[in-house]
Amino acid sequence: MTMPKNVRGERLAVSGSVGSSIEPPAYRLPLTAHGSLPAGDPFAQMQTMGHEQLLLSHDPSCGYYGIVAIHDTTLGPALGGTRFWQYGSTEEAITDALRLSRGMTYKSAVAGINLGGGKSVIIGDNHRPDREALFRAHGRFIETLGGRYITAEDIGTSPADMEYIKLETDHVAGLLGLSGDPSPVTAYGVYVGMKAAAKVRWGSDSLSGKTVAIQGCGKVASHLAAHLHEEGAKLIVTDIDAEKVKRVVADTGARAVAPDEIYDQTADVYAPCALGATVNDETLSRLKVQIIAGAANNQLAEDRHGDQLEQRGILYAPDYVINGGGVINVYGELHQWPAERAKKKAGEIYDTLLRIFEIAQQERIPTYRAADRLAEQRIAAVGGLDRMWMGGQRGSGAAGQRGS
């Protein structure tokens, strides 16, 4: 049995005991002079974050370089989108896959759905036009995992790319004509999550008249901006793609600023909706906001930045909680939910965040730790169920999941 793990890779305690007469092999990984694995070593990263698998694949016929990271499958098969990005190095791509897959475990756990955490990345130029061979190679790679990992779209990929993957494996979601693009549901979850944060910070969940600085003008950010504009919020936006900025400005009347200037804006809310780690040593002191609530993954460069936000009195809506609408959308596709059910489920992010904020206040801990605690409780509880054999084969829902 795979025991559940917390975000730092520590095994969580569940009732009962597990015994084994088989001693583990005596093999030891190469250590530094100080007795630790070298910094940046993939096994060291897996050990620290508690991963089950890290796999690499290469197809020279189409220049495919792919990585799949599987963090934890206690709750069900690992789900996580495919990110297509021009990474600076293989090490950078591996680190991204490991961090993102860990976040997916916690995202599904907090959302109350029966999926584990995984992620895949393709290294390369995501603007290349010849995509079929590349994504079919990716599909063949995923098929070798036998259903332990299910993919969907992410940054640099689209539902059309998922159709190419579908030609090689059934372990893919986000297909055209089904749930498709998850960004509307993701954005809705971020929107209601931002309202929950507003309720805690200002006593009312109204965002009318509030100023929101949105970093990124991609698909999720565009939908989020539309929700906020409709409610009467004032928007400041930025993106490295000037055309995306123009579209959001035209649709919402937002004020555009240069990418690096977004951190210096006086606003009520900072909404990171692009790549992660934008709350870091360089930016944190520049932020002039009361709330951080956005769609990006891994918004904190390090955990200690969450502690510093708490010290500064900035209310942080943990990223994997507030952006959980995407995984909910995919889960709905796997179980053939109607679109409205997925949106309604994403609306529960509001109450989940209120609960997390309450835990943080009662236990006097940062909100990101309160979110981890809520996720770990569910993983431990479900992990304990593996100890009771009910006879026959475990029931499974769509894509071999544990129930629905």
Side-chain angles (χ1 to χ4, degrees):
M1 180 185 85
T2 299
M3 297 284 284
K5 302 176 281 291
N6 68 14
V7 77
R8 282 158 288 281
E10 301 159 343
R11 296 292 179 175
L12 297 173
V14 294
S15 59
S17 60
V18 179
S20 174
S21 60
I22 301 175
E23 292 295 326
Y27 174 74
R28 295 182 183 277
L29 292 167
L31 304 179
T32 66
H34 301 290
S36 61
L37 287 164
D41 182 278
F43 278 115
Q45 293 176 290
M46 291 176 69
Q47 184 181 60
T48 298
M49 290 188 273
H51 281 74
E52 294 176 1
Q53 285 182 288
L54 175 67
L55 306 102
L56 284 72
S57 180
H58 172 226
D59 188 333
S61 68
C62 59
Y64 168 76
Y65 295 89
I67 300 169
V68 172
I70 296 177
H71 179 252
D72 188 286
T73 54
T74 300
L75 299 179
L79 174 74
T82 294
R83 178 164 293 190
F84 190 5
W85 195 254
Q86 187 70 66
Y87 291 93
S89 66
T90 303
E91 291 76 13
E92 182 183 326
I94 287 173
T95 297
D96 202 28
L98 291 172
R99 291 194 69 192
L100 291 166
S101 59
R102 179 186 64 182
M104 291 301 299
T105 295
Y106 280 64
K107 186 178 298 189
S108 293
V110 169
I113 55 180
N114 298 327
L115 291 169
K119 204 76 176 182
S120 59
V121 300
I122 298 174
I123 303 174
D125 178 9
N126 60 31
H127 294 294
R128 62 180 284 184
D130 54 328
R131 302 175 82 85
E132 180 177 359
L134 189 76
F135 282 95
R136 292 189 71 161
H138 192 53
R140 289 192 292 273
F141 181 22
I142 292 169
E143 178 65 14
T144 66
L145 299 177
R148 277 179 52 77
Y149 169 65
I150 304 167
T151 197
E153 71 166 299
D154 197 272
I155 293 174
T157 60
S158 69
D161 296 324
M162 299 305 106
E163 294 292 334
Y164 289 134
I165 294 174
K166 175 67 175 176
L167 295 174
E168 303 291 344
T169 182
D170 289 331
H171 307 300
V172 57
L175 300 169
L176 294 168
L178 296 176
S179 71
D181 181 4
S183 58
V185 178
T186 304
Y188 179 70
V190 175
Y191 170 63
V192 299
M194 192 180 294
K195 289 176 72 66
K199 183 175 180 63
V200 170
R201 173 58 73 217
W202 300 304
S204 168
D205 67 7
S206 174
L207 295 169
S208 178
K210 301 297 184 184
T211 299
V212 182
I214 304 177
Q215 185 214 36
C217 291
K219 290 181 288 186
V220 175
S222 297
H223 288 292
L224 174 62
H227 285 300
L228 294 169
H229 174 63
E230 184 177 353
E231 187 167 343
K234 302 172 185 177
L235 305 179
I236 304 170
V237 299
T238 194
D239 196 289
I240 58 174
D241 187 329
E243 290 303 314
K244 291 180 179 178
V245 174
K246 289 179 181 178
R247 286 195 292 269
V248 173
V249 169
D251 291 341
T252 66
R255 177 167 63 88
V257 297
D260 190 58
E261 293 176 1
I262 196 71
Y263 310 109
D264 302 310
Q265 304 304 308
T266 299
D268 298 295
V269 182
Y270 168 55
C273 295
L275 294 178
T278 63
V279 180
N280 54 51
D281 288 336
E282 196 276 326
T283 63
L284 198 149
S285 62
R286 296 164 59 187
L287 293 172
K288 306 168 189 173
V289 298
Q290 296 188 54
I291 291 172
I292 295 179
N297 288 307
N298 297 326
Q299 294 170 24
L300 306 177
E302 298 180 38
D303 285 351
R304 61 185 176 85
H305 296 119
D307 300 324
Q308 292 171 19
L309 289 176
E310 179 75 11
Q311 293 163 8
R312 288 193 55 193
I314 298 175
L315 182 62
Y316 171 58
D319 47 20
Y320 63 78
V321 181
I322 196 170
N323 67 14
V327 71
I328 290 170
N329 189 70
V330 172
Y331 186 76
E333 177 182 325
L334 295 173
H335 290 278
Q336 300 179 342
W337 287 1
E340 282 305 308
R341 182 176 177 184
K343 184 177 180 181
K344 183 178 180 180
K345 180 70 174 175
E348 295 176 7
I349 290 172
Y350 183 100
D351 290 325
T352 301
L353 276 170
L354 289 181
R355 184 179 175 191
I356 287 168
F357 294 146
E358 183 180 16
I359 292 171
Q361 183 179 31
Q362 289 177 345
E363 302 190 17
R364 297 181 179 180
I365 57 176
T367 56
Y368 79 91
R369 291 192 181 276
D372 289 353
R373 188 160 300 178
L374 191 63
E376 289 158 7
Q377 287 172 354
R378 180 166 186 253
I379 295 169
V382 175
L385 296 178
D386 272 344
R387 304 187 48 71
M388 184 182 295
W389 183 65
M390 301 300 292
Q393 186 175 1
R394 182 198 302 274
S396 63
Q401 295 174 109
R402 304 173 183 182
S404 59

